[in-house]
Amino acid sequence: MKREDICRALSKIAWGYVFLYFNLNFSMGGHQLNVLPDWVCYVNLWGAILLLEGSLRDLKLLRNFCIFLGAVACGTWLGAIFGLELPHALVLWSLLVTVISIYFHFQLLTVLVQGIESGFFGTGAVNAGLSNRLRMCRNLQAVLQTATALLVFLWDYRTGGSAAVEGLGGVLVIFLAIAGFIMALVLVFALFKLRRCVREEPDE
């Protein structure tokens, strides 16, 4: 596979996670508009999967999940523009989407880790210890997503979705948000470093 295509794919993945984890909100018509919408993440990840799936075959299994999550993210973003929110009765739907999201991102990062350890991305990536960094981010991401989903579900169940998170719940939300922000920074920088390692890999 051409090195340029691998670098393009890694760029798409890295920028995809920038859009997933970092928000920039503006008020528009009394509603908050995120100008870094999550659905752009899945558009980028879809492009990366198409570029890499011929060499990293396990990625083919993630194509449909990527489309699904992108469609859900797009629907949520459009709903926010028009002031529409998911009814409390559909909280189980939110949990289903969360489960699929956890699986998708866990497997995507697993494939990248396997690619590093198999030498697909070159010896530079192996020597940089990027597999351990991505593996740590993969595991922490799954834990944080699970903890956040459970916290939101339990709080909605207790309050009927009508009260703000307070007390211990508020402390946990802040802790999860800080941990998630740090994890996102480490993940994004690791992905850009992986791209740099591929780009600087000496020709055989």
Side-chain angles (χ1 to χ4, degrees), residues 17-192:
Y17 279 109
V18 169
F19 276 86
L20 182 65
Y21 283 114
F22 302 101
N23 297 326
L24 185 59
N25 295 317
F26 286 99
S27 294
M28 186 184 73
H31 305 296
Q32 291 292 321
L33 175 65
N34 180 16
V35 297
L36 298 175
D38 291 356
W39 59 264
V40 178
C41 163
Y42 294 104
V43 171
N44 276 282
L45 296 183
W46 168 254
I49 288 172
L50 292 181
L51 285 169
L52 294 175
E53 66 180 6
S55 300
L56 301 174
R57 299 185 183 279
D58 288 343
L59 288 177
K60 289 183 178 180
L61 302 174
L62 301 179
R63 284 188 297 184
N64 292 335
F65 291 113
C66 188
I67 294 173
F68 172 79
L69 292 172
V72 171
C74 185
T76 302
W77 185 72
L78 291 174
I81 292 177
F82 296 105
L84 303 175
E85 296 182 359
L86 186 68
H88 175 63
L90 296 181
V91 67
L92 292 178
W93 164 257
S94 296
L95 285 177
L96 174 63
V97 172
T98 300
V99 169
I100 294 175
S101 176
I102 293 171
Y103 171 80
F104 172 81
H105 292 288
F106 190 92
Q107 289 301 116
L108 175 62
L109 294 179
T110 296
V111 172
L112 294 181
V113 169
Q114 291 173 344
I116 293 172
E117 294 178 345
S118 68
F120 174 75
F121 295 111
T123 57
V126 177
N127 295 334
L130 288 173
S131 61
N132 290 333
R133 207 171 308 171
L134 289 181
R135 187 182 289 107
M136 178 194 69
C137 289
R138 177 200 66 184
N139 295 341
L140 184 57
Q141 178 180 247
V143 170
L144 291 175
Q145 279 187 286
T146 301
T148 301
L150 288 175
L151 180 62
V152 171
F153 177 75
L154 291 174
W155 188 262
D156 281 347
Y157 178 78
R158 178 184 174 186
T159 65
S162 59
V165 178
E166 299 175 352
L168 179 59
V171 173
L172 289 175
V173 167
I174 293 173
F175 172 78
L176 292 174
I178 293 173
F181 179 76
I182 295 173
M183 182 277 297
L185 285 177
V186 174
L187 175 60
V188 169
F189 278 108
L191 289 169
F192 278 117

